[in-house]
Every structure is written in structure tokens, then in C-alpha cells.
Amino acid sequence: MSIRKRIVTIDGPSGGGKSTASRALAARLYFTYLDTGAMYRAVAFQCHKNELEAKETPELSDLLDSMTMELLPPQAGGDDVRVVVNGDEIGPELRTPEMGMLASKYSGLPSVRQTLTRLQQEIGKEGRIVAEGRDTGTVVFPDAAWKFFLDASPEERAQRRSAQLQSKGESVNEAELLAQIIQRDKDDRERSLAPLAAALDAITIDSTQLTADEVVEAMYQHVLHTSCCRDE
Ligand code: DC
């Protein structure tokens, strides 16, 4: 058997329930949760703040070379991983749909992907992580022991996102959210570099008709009943 790392990857389009599932699965396995989307959002935030175009330029290269990034656990009562870039924590702007769109745009740039892939591999080198994103099973951790691709219909995803934003007291336009989700899927799936895709050895779960608990249970049972690594 090839040597696999004790890593779970959960990829899929936005709003498919990846974050909820990844967080809960990580807690059940006593693994660390790695939110790679937050890292792409943080880079987009920095680029936007510095008014950089989504292009390979010397300014982008300088920004990436000099950037430090640290992920912190959620604050008490919250769920979102916090991101500190160059010593400053990015606020709630990190999680807005607009920042998601920007992240999708900048994430097509080779230098951005290279920088973040390297950082993610460094964080995951000891294993025991649940990584969530678009390419964690295909590019970042191809040797992960357990890979999932979590999907749901665009309408269901828009509705979930809307409920999530409303619970944070934000006003939402559901039609606009649906349009953004469809556009972001298209951009993420069609980009040439590390596109959103299920790894060949990933298990695809369609969560349209499932509760979050059912998704996590299915994943947990799969991890529990599939041995992975040589030291088992
Ligand atoms: O998961 P999210 O919505 O926070 O991700 C925001 C964007 O970041 C997403 O539209 C595409 C990009 N992304 C990526 O390209 N690769 C990843 N592994 C994670 C996110």
C-alpha cells in the first residue's frame, strides 16, 4: 500500500457545507482544521487594500514575498478561523461574499497559488489535519488518506448562505447570492490552474438532501473504517 498521510481533504464549491463539516469532523477526530479559503480571502484582502490588479506584477510578487500569515482559532462563541496578515488581524470583511468573489479572482494567479500551497503543505506536514478548499485533495495534499468532494445544488447553497448571513444580522438579496454562487463556481471550475475538481480517489457526497450531521457522520464512519497509514 502506498504511504498516505493522516490528512482529510474536503473540497467542493462554495456553500456546499464544507466549513461546517470540516470543523465538526476535525473536532471529532481531534485533528486541526485548515481553512484554505480563508487564506485566499486574506491574500485578496491585502491585494485589494493595496489596489493591486489581479495580474502577475512586481508589486504582487513583493506583496507575497514580504507577507506573513498566521491562522488563529475562532474567538469564543464564533466559528470562523481568524487570519493575521503582517501582524494585523483581518476583521469581518474577510467573510463577505464580495471578498469571496475577489478571492476567486486573485486565486487564479500562479504566484498566489504557489505561495499559499507551500504554506498549506508546511502547516500539514505533521498530518492530523482536516483541510478544506477547492484543490486540497488534488494539488495540496495528493497523498491524503481520506478525500471528500462535497457538493449541493446551487439553489440549496444560495439558501444556506442566505440563512447564514441573516443569522449574522446581515441583509441579503437571495437572487444576487445565487448569481454570485453560479459565477464563482464557473470561475473556480474553469481556471487553468488547480481548478475546483474532485480528486479521482475522492468520495463525492451530495449534501442537497442531507443535514450537516448526516454529512459529518458519513465522513467520520468512512475515516474510522478505512485504515491509512503504515504505523496503524
Ligand atoms: O471557501 P471560500 O469561499 O472561503 O473560498 C474563497 C475563494 O478562494 C474561492 O472562490 C476560490 C478560492 N480558493 C481556492 O482557489 N482554492 C482553495 N483551496 C480555497 C479557496
Side-chain angles (χ1 to χ4, degrees):
M1 191 174 92
S2 65
I3 301 179
R4 297 252 161 188
K5 284 216 181 93
R6 203 178 297 276
I7 290 176
V8 180
T9 61
I10 304 182
D11 292 310
S14 62
K18 292 189 306 287
S19 303
T20 310
S22 308
R23 269 194 294 264
L25 187 64
R28 279 183 83 172
L29 294 169
Y30 298 101
F31 282 14
T32 301
Y33 164 50
L34 175 60
D35 178 0
T36 64
M39 299 168 82
Y40 282 95
R41 285 168 181 264
V43 166
F45 177 86
Q46 284 302 111
C47 289
H48 189 59
K49 190 171 97 178
N50 288 283
E51 298 178 2
L52 299 192
E53 278 183 86
K55 272 190 189 158
E56 294 291 355
T57 57
E59 289 77 15
L60 175 66
S61 173
D62 287 347
L63 183 142
L64 293 171
D65 285 348
S66 62
M67 181 183 71
T68 63
M69 188 184 289
E70 206 186 332
L71 301 183
L72 300 179
Q75 223 140 25
D79 304 308
D80 291 330
V81 164
R82 292 172 294 148
V83 186
V84 176
V85 173
N86 299 336
D88 291 324
E89 184 179 331
I90 304 176
E93 313 88 289
L94 193 70
R95 302 291 174 175
T96 61
E98 290 70 29
M99 201 52 70
M101 296 296 281
L102 279 176
S104 182
K105 217 164 91 180
Y106 288 101
S107 68
L109 298 171
S111 61
V112 170
R113 298 214 74 83
Q114 218 171 57
T115 303
L116 292 185
T117 298
R118 222 179 282 139
L119 200 55
Q120 290 154 14
Q121 289 171 337
E122 178 64 29
I123 295 171
K125 71 177 192 292
E126 305 296 341
R128 301 189 67 86
I129 60 163
V130 175
E132 173 212 329
R134 303 294 186 288
D135 63 340
T136 62
T138 50
V139 175
V140 187
F141 301 115
D143 51 357
W146 306 283
K147 299 182 186 180
F148 298 98
F149 190 82
L150 192 53
D151 212 344
S153 71
E155 291 74 18
E156 174 69 19
R157 289 187 280 132
Q159 218 197 349
R160 287 182 196 165
R161 186 70 96 198
S162 156
Q164 196 182 40
L165 291 170
Q166 275 171 342
S167 75
K168 290 182 185 172
E170 291 173 37
S171 64
V172 274
N173 175 336
E174 223 169 274
E176 200 176 300
L177 264 183
L178 178 62
Q180 280 179 347
I181 280 181
I182 290 171
Q183 183 62 46
R184 190 133 70 94
D185 281 1
K186 184 169 157 27
D187 293 345
D188 289 348
R189 284 182 201 274
E190 291 180 359
R191 67 166 176 246
S192 53
L193 205 60
L196 165 64
L200 288 176
D201 50 350
I203 292 181
T204 295
I205 299 178
D206 186 325
S207 74
T208 307
Q209 308 286 344
L210 299 176
T211 65
D213 285 348
E214 286 168 336
V215 170
V216 175
E217 186 60 27
M219 291 176 167
Y220 183 67
Q221 291 302 329
H222 175 70
V223 170
L224 224 56
H225 294 110
T226 325
S227 60
C228 84
C229 314
R230 199 160 262 186
D231 55 341
E232 279 183 338

